[in-house]
């Protein structure tokens, strides 16, 4: 694989991360403080949206596995076809409709549509890794390029969104330090007026950000199409037959390495999602860092982007399972931030969290091709199973993240979160601290414990590579 080909492949996946990052960091606070949807309804939007994307994964895998080969490949037509619709749904997901009573249905519709369409892109895009090269090192290298660019995409999305919409969440009223004798009425004073029409300043800046990110989508798919050539299944024999989707799904669910890998990283990815979705709320309401949240988000993502090459070298030298220890680094520092909300400490925590997030992003996508190779060796006369593995993996991680986000937003509703006020109640602040510190820590520790039983080692990877070469 040429460096140019790897770069084009990596750039093609970046727009999904740009949009996903903006939604992960800002959608919850947008629904609560700009659209003025109750935390309960926001939890419904987040959970049902994620669930709809998760349900679309096996459906997409089914239809893609049935697709015929075309002049531009079997996977590329899916990515080209869904991109324009994805851009439209993303824009309307950030549009503030002039009516109030139907806003929940509006955001639910377009968030579900956006999640479903990104799935139709993500499943063939991630499975494309298996059709770039037969060599494990080349695929690992392409995955490292991809994850570096996706983390950069996450950085670009959060930075763009954060800088453009920061003015929508700044209130000089909330920077005033109340006197000791201040009554509770100060807590209930809205930090900004309720935007009643789509022409308000707060609504405008969110639509501008959505338009800019939509343009990034179109640029990314053009580069992917022009720079990547999809190759047919290199292991397939003329006598091989495609595995029926339902049968293939059953086989994947019985494949030990896949089950352990998926169980581990669905917990770890849920922890990262909880950190992302509640971080801005935590900085705004619990840590007194209202004017620094966009810079802290950028610090996290710059750290993650810069450390991807380090983790790639680390896993090549010490093994992929050993590299997973880096995911646990964020736990003690996140706990420190919750207990000691200090500005300097917050930036240090953001930097270390970026290192851990980079490891959690790179490892599953680097390990999944090894699982597919292992399955291929055990089922030598079947083909078309790649999309089944990738679609079901994304299904489980999205579903678990949706459940986690839904529960976290429902927790804010239960503890009395009020949109638009300067200071939340002590119960809400405690809930945000638990969602940032305790819950992710537990999920990460359990996920890493499961990963200890993952059976594919560096030695078995080499044996599988040799066996597949003989098979080919």
């Amino acid at each position: 694989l040429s460096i140019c080909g790897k770069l084009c492949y990596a750039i093609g996946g970046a727009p999904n991360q740009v949009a996903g990052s903006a939604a992960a960091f800002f959608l919850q606070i947008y629904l609560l403080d700009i659209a003025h949807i109750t935390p309960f309804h926001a939890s419904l939007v987040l959970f049902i949206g994620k669930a709809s994307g998760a349900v679309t994964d096996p459906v997409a895998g089914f239809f893609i596995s049935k697709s015929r080969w075309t002049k531009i490949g079997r996977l590329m037509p899916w990515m080209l076809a869904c991109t324009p619709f994805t851009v439209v749904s993303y824009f309307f997901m950030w549009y503030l409709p002039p009516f109030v009573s139907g806003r929940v249905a509006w955001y639910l519709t377009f968030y579900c549509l956006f999640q479903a369409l990104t799935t139709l892109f993500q499943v063939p895009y991630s499975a494309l890794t298996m059709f770039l090269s037969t060599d494990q090192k080349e695929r690992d290298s392409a995955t490292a390029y991809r994850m570096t660019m996706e983390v950069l995409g996450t950085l670009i999305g959060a930075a763009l969104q954060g800088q453009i919409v920061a003015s929508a969440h700044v209130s000089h009223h909330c920077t005033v330090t109340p006197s000791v004798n201040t009554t509770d009425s100060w807590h209930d004073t809205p930090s900004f007026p309720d935007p009643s029409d789509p022409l308000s300043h707060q609504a405008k800046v969110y639509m501008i950000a959505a338009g800019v990110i939509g343009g990034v989508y179109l640029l990314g798919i053009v580069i992917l199409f022009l720079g990547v050539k999809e190759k047919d299944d290199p292991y397939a024999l003329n006598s091989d037959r495609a595995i029926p989707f339902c049968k293939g799904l059953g086989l994947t669910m019985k494949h030990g390495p896949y089950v352990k890998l998926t169980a581990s990283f669905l917990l770890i990815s849920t922890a990262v999602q909880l950190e992302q979705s509640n971080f801005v709320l935590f900085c705004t309401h619990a840590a007194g860092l209202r004017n620094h949240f966009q810079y802290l988000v950028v610090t996290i993502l710059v750290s993650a982007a810069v450390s991807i090459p380090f983790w790639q070298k680390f896993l090549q030298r010490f093994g992929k399972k050993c590299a997973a220890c880096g995911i646990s680094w964020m736990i003690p520092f996140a706990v420190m931030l919750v207990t000691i909300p200090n500005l300097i400490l917050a930036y240090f925590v953001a930097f270390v969290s970026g290192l851990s997030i980079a490891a959690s992003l790179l490892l599953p996508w680097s390990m999944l091709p090894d699982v597919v190779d292992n399955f291929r060796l055990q089922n030598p006369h079947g083909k078309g199973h790649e999309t089944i593995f990738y679609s079901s993996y994304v299904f489980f991680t999205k579903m678990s993240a949706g459940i986690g986000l839904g529960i976290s937003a429902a927790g804010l509703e239960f503890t009395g979160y009020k949109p638009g006020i300067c200071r939340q109640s002590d119960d809400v602040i405690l809930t945000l601290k638990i969602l940032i510190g305790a819950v992710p820590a537990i999920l990460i520790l359990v996920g890493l414990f499961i990963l200890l039983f993952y059976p594919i080692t560096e030695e078995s990877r080499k044996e599988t590579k040799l066996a597949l070469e003989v098979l080919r």
Side-chain angles (χ1 to χ4, degrees):
L1 288 175
S2 66
I3 293 178
C4 180
K6 294 175 186 176
L7 280 173
C8 290
Y9 170 66
I11 291 172
N16 246 5
Q17 304 307 314
V18 173
S21 170
F25 280 108
F26 292 95
L27 184 58
Q28 181 164 275
I29 198 170
Y30 170 82
L31 295 175
L32 294 174
D33 286 358
I34 305 300
H36 281 240
I37 291 175
T38 66
F40 174 73
H41 287 132
S43 70
L44 286 180
V45 171
L46 293 172
F47 170 69
I48 297 175
K50 283 285 186 181
S52 68
V55 171
T56 309
D57 283 300
V59 176
F62 173 78
F63 285 108
I64 293 169
S65 66
K66 298 289 184 182
S67 301
R68 295 183 178 181
W69 189 266
T70 67
K71 291 182 179 180
I72 59 173
R74 184 162 60 92
L75 304 174
M76 190 67 73
W78 287 88
M79 294 180 276
L80 289 174
C82 70
T83 298
F85 300 101
T86 305
V87 173
V88 172
S89 64
Y90 181 79
F91 179 81
F92 282 111
M93 190 176 81
W94 299 99
Y95 175 75
L96 186 70
F99 47 84
V100 177
S101 60
R103 283 183 184 176
V104 175
W106 175 277
Y107 291 114
L108 183 60
T109 299
F110 284 104
Y111 188 49
C112 288
L113 189 60
F114 172 72
Q115 288 291 336
L117 288 168
T118 53
T119 293
L120 290 176
F121 180 93
Q122 189 66 26
V123 170
Y125 175 76
S126 55
L128 187 60
T129 309
M130 301 301 299
F131 299 96
L132 296 176
S133 173
T134 61
D135 186 77
Q136 290 179 348
K137 288 186 177 180
E138 287 293 317
R139 291 202 306 258
D140 286 346
S141 177
T143 300
Y145 272 81
R146 170 193 161 191
M147 297 317 301
T148 302
M149 198 59 65
E150 287 192 355
V151 172
L152 285 173
T154 304
L155 167 63
I156 292 169
L160 276 176
Q161 189 88 358
Q163 294 301 317
I164 294 173
V165 309
S167 60
H169 299 283
V170 172
S171 173
H172 298 293
H173 177 74
C174 288
T175 61
V176 177
T177 303
S179 62
V180 177
N181 297 323
T182 300
T183 62
D184 289 338
S185 63
W186 185 84
H187 296 260
D188 297 328
T189 304
S191 60
F192 41 77
D194 181 7
S196 58
D197 64 81
L199 298 179
S200 66
H201 168 71
Q202 292 142 328
K204 280 182 179 178
V205 294
Y206 269 97
M207 285 190 287
I208 291 171
V212 172
I213 291 175
V216 173
Y217 250 110
L218 298 176
L219 178 63
I221 191 63
V222 170
I223 293 175
L224 178 68
F225 175 71
L226 295 177
V228 175
K229 181 175 176 59
E230 182 182 345
K231 300 176 183 178
D232 202 359
D233 187 349
Y235 296 139
L237 304 175
N238 292 333
S239 58
D240 289 351
R241 294 185 177 182
I243 299 175
F245 183 82
C246 293
K247 179 182 178 182
L249 190 61
L251 290 174
T252 59
M253 293 301 101
K254 296 176 183 177
H255 192 60
Y258 177 73
V259 172
K260 293 180 177 65
L261 179 69
T262 303
S264 172
F265 278 99
L266 70 83
L267 294 173
I268 293 170
S269 65
T270 301
V272 173
Q273 284 278 343
L274 285 174
E275 291 274 0
Q276 284 183 323
S277 64
N278 291 289
F279 187 76
V280 177
L281 282 170
F282 173 80
C283 291
T284 303
H285 298 297
L289 302 171
R290 180 186 297 272
N291 297 322
H292 295 272
F293 70 81
Q294 66 267 40
Y295 306 112
L296 289 168
V297 168
V298 170
T299 303
I300 291 173
L301 298 173
V302 167
S303 171
V306 170
S307 61
I308 287 284
F310 162 76
W311 286 118
Q312 176 64 14
K313 294 291 184 183
F314 187 95
L315 64 87
Q316 286 178 345
R317 182 168 182 179
F318 299 103
K320 297 178 181 180
K321 287 180 68 174
C322 185
C325 66
I327 300 172
S328 64
W329 291 356
M330 75 168 72
I331 296 175
F333 297 102
V335 172
M336 288 173 62
L337 177 62
V338 168
T339 54
I340 314 171
N342 176 273
L343 180 60
I344 297 175
L345 178 62
Y347 278 99
F348 184 66
V349 170
F351 175 77
V352 175
S353 297
L355 299 178
S356 296
I357 289 172
S360 71
L361 291 174
L362 176 63
L363 281 173
W365 296 111
S366 180
M367 297 166 86
L368 197 54
D370 301 335
V371 173
V372 176
D373 280 347
N374 183 270
F375 180 85
R376 174 74 193 190
L377 192 61
Q378 296 181 19
N379 300 270
H381 298 296
K383 63 179 181 179
H385 54 277
E386 295 85 1
T387 52
I388 299 174
F389 272 98
Y390 280 87
S391 63
S392 55
Y393 174 78
V394 178
F395 166 79
F396 287 117
T397 52
K398 279 186 179 179
M399 184 62 76
S400 63
I403 294 171
L405 294 178
I407 292 174
S408 70
L412 294 176
E413 167 82 13
F414 180 76
T415 52
Y417 181 91
K418 295 180 180 179
I421 67 173
C422 291
R423 181 178 294 174
Q424 299 291 338
S425 67
D426 291 340
D427 289 340
V428 172
I429 293 173
L430 177 62
T431 301
L432 287 171
K433 289 181 177 181
I434 292 172
L435 291 173
I436 285 291
V439 176
I442 293 171
L443 292 174
I444 289 172
L445 289 174
V446 175
L448 292 176
F449 177 75
I450 295 173
L451 196 62
L452 291 175
F453 301 96
Y454 176 71
I456 298 179
T457 62
E458 296 305 304
E459 291 75 17
S460 65
R461 285 179 66 227
K462 294 177 182 178
E463 293 172 1
T464 301
K465 177 184 176 181
L466 292 174
L468 286 176
E469 288 177 354
V470 171
L471 178 65
R472 187 169 71 249

